[in-house]
Amino acid sequence: MTPLAIPMALLRQAQQVADDFTARTGITVDATELLTGRAAQLDIAPRAQVSAGGATRLLATDDGWCALTLSRADDIAVIPALLQVDSVGNDPWPAVLDWAAMRTAAEVAGRARLLGLPVAVLGETAPATPVVSPLGPARTGSLAGALVADLSSMWAGPLCGQLLARAGATVVKVESGGRPDGTRAGAPEFFDWMNGGKLSYAVDFDEPDDLAALIQVADVVIESSRPAALSRRGLGPDTVGTRPGQIWVRITGHGAAGEKADWVAFGDDAAVSGGLVGYRTAAPVFMGDAIADPLTGLHAAAAVAASREHGGGELIEFAMAAVAAGYRSQDGEDADVIPVRPAVGLRGRELGADNEVVRRLVTKRIDAPC
């Protein structure tokens, strides 16, 4: 199994967050497992300026460094527009590297963001605590028996939901029937690790009545889409009536306010934005495996547990880049950390397998609201 170079101080800092979650829920969490589990499952590790998953590259620019992720077919399709050429070969990276080297980091990021690409300038994001806003009346309770609507996808949000499920919550994984969580098409062991033990609820986001009903009765809502995507369907926390004590967790790449709300991000480029990288012969290298994702998922779960204790009724907004930035001072003491393979006990459910079960749960809560 390929080791990962991760500062021991970073692992200790993350374990403190895990221990806080344990103290509030009684559920033991190993931060090293969360940060390295996918790497253990897939036997992957970063290769200097190439991310562990292979989709993100660090690009040397005229005045610094950027990170660009090309994980979706749509991302690769717009590379000719990014480079202002008619076409590129089967491997777009050589042309992208040459193009970036002749421009400033700000120019690279600015043009890539205009095209909707996941991009980051190294160290552009400062550490910041989550933004917490009042949402509604408080109501204390434990996580055991709580109903969680998990509208998120990929890693950070689903990990938050997975940890809440371990703490006894009933977690409903909500997906669009036409566009499910992208991890369903990847390694099944990773999907099972993130989503085993959750109910699967397939909905049409363009006909959101069923989803609105679930959100209204949920104790916790987790979402990781850009804020406007739900608000324009009338599904945001400011438009859907909320249950007393409801906690809404919003996970974005760079924040939910201003132009940053439209910036796309994945775990590796978000980590670079937060300055969470290693260095080899003065050049930055990727640290861990999409490390901003599991860090944010862990922090989000701990925040939900704490909020539930004092009554909830709030919106908690995490930016992955800001979470990563809170760890970037933990350099030195690098160790060859052997990835910890997760113990996955349950398989993820087939898409929509639990629609009727979820509808009955919603009806029961509507009939007995609190």
Side-chain angles (χ1 to χ4, degrees):
M1 192 172 294
T2 308
L4 300 179
I6 300 177
M8 296 306 297
L10 185 153
L11 292 176
R12 288 193 293 268
Q13 184 179 344
Q15 189 60 50
Q16 289 176 354
V17 181
D19 290 345
D20 178 69
F21 182 80
T22 297
R24 298 180 190 278
T25 65
I27 305 303
T28 300
V29 175
D30 180 2
T32 303
E33 174 197 336
L34 301 186
L35 269 60
T36 66
R38 189 179 77 154
Q41 290 176 329
L42 307 183
D43 194 17
I44 56 176
R47 289 164 287 142
Q49 281 83 43
V50 180
S51 67
T56 309
R57 303 285 178 101
L58 279 158
L59 313 176
T61 69
D62 182 60
D63 63 348
W65 292 84
C66 282
L68 179 68
T69 300
L70 301 179
S71 62
R72 305 167 297 182
D74 289 348
D75 297 332
I76 297 172
V78 301
I79 292 303
L82 176 72
L83 307 184
Q84 296 178 295
V85 297
D86 292 333
S87 63
V88 294
N90 293 332
D91 180 3
W93 285 114
V96 170
L97 289 164
D98 290 343
W99 173 82
M102 300 174 63
R103 287 159 178 81
T104 67
E107 289 172 337
V108 170
R111 181 157 182 80
R113 283 170 177 151
L114 283 175
L115 296 169
L117 290 168
V119 68
V121 176
L122 176 59
E124 66 185 340
T125 300
T129 57
V131 177
V132 181
S133 309
L135 185 61
R139 183 171 183 264
T140 57
S142 70
L143 284 173
L147 179 62
V148 178
D150 181 1
L151 282 63
S152 66
S153 61
M154 304 305 286
W155 195 344
L159 174 57
C160 174
Q162 175 58 232
L163 293 173
L164 300 184
R166 292 188 199 179
T170 298
V171 181
V172 179
K173 181 170 181 61
V174 180
E175 299 172 81
S176 164
R179 192 171 184 178
D181 187 336
T183 58
R184 281 189 180 273
E189 58 266 42
F190 178 67
F191 180 83
D192 291 345
W193 179 35
M194 289 295 102
N195 299 293
K198 300 178 184 179
L199 300 174
S200 177
Y201 190 43
V203 299
D204 184 345
F205 279 78
D206 292 324
E207 296 181 7
D209 289 349
D210 286 349
L211 180 53
L214 172 62
I215 291 173
Q216 287 170 353
V217 301
D219 298 300
V220 180
V221 179
I222 306 168
E223 56 109 340
S224 59
S225 56
R226 283 173 281 183
L230 290 178
S231 293
R232 66 171 174 259
R233 293 176 170 86
L235 295 173
D238 54 343
T239 53
V240 175
T242 59
R243 182 180 178 86
Q246 186 179 87
I247 303 162
W248 191 291
V249 179
R250 173 176 289 157
I251 296 174
T252 63
H254 298 274
E259 65 174 357
K260 291 184 178 182
D262 292 322
W263 292 1
V264 183
F266 290 91
D268 283 303
D269 53 82
V272 171
S273 179
L276 187 55
V277 296
Y279 282 90
R280 187 179 303 166
T281 61
V285 295
F286 285 106
M287 181 185 296
D289 173 24
I291 196 166
D293 267 311
L295 286 174
T296 303
L298 172 60
H299 277 256
V304 170
S307 180
R308 186 84 171 148
E309 283 188 358
H310 66 242
E314 55 192 12
L315 166 66
I316 310 173
E317 297 177 293
F318 284 91
M320 292 197 299
V323 172
Y327 285 81
R328 68 184 177 202
S329 62
Q330 303 289 18
D331 54 8
E333 294 187 78
D334 279 12
D336 285 338
V337 177
I338 301 300
V340 176
R341 183 178 292 276
V344 180
L346 297 170
R347 293 186 60 184
R349 303 280 286 166
E350 294 296 323
L351 181 64
D354 303 297
N355 277 20
E356 289 305 317
V357 173
V358 174
R359 291 189 184 111
R360 288 197 294 270
L361 280 173
V362 170
T363 299
K364 184 177 180 179
R365 285 206 162 202
I366 290 174
D367 292 341
C370 291

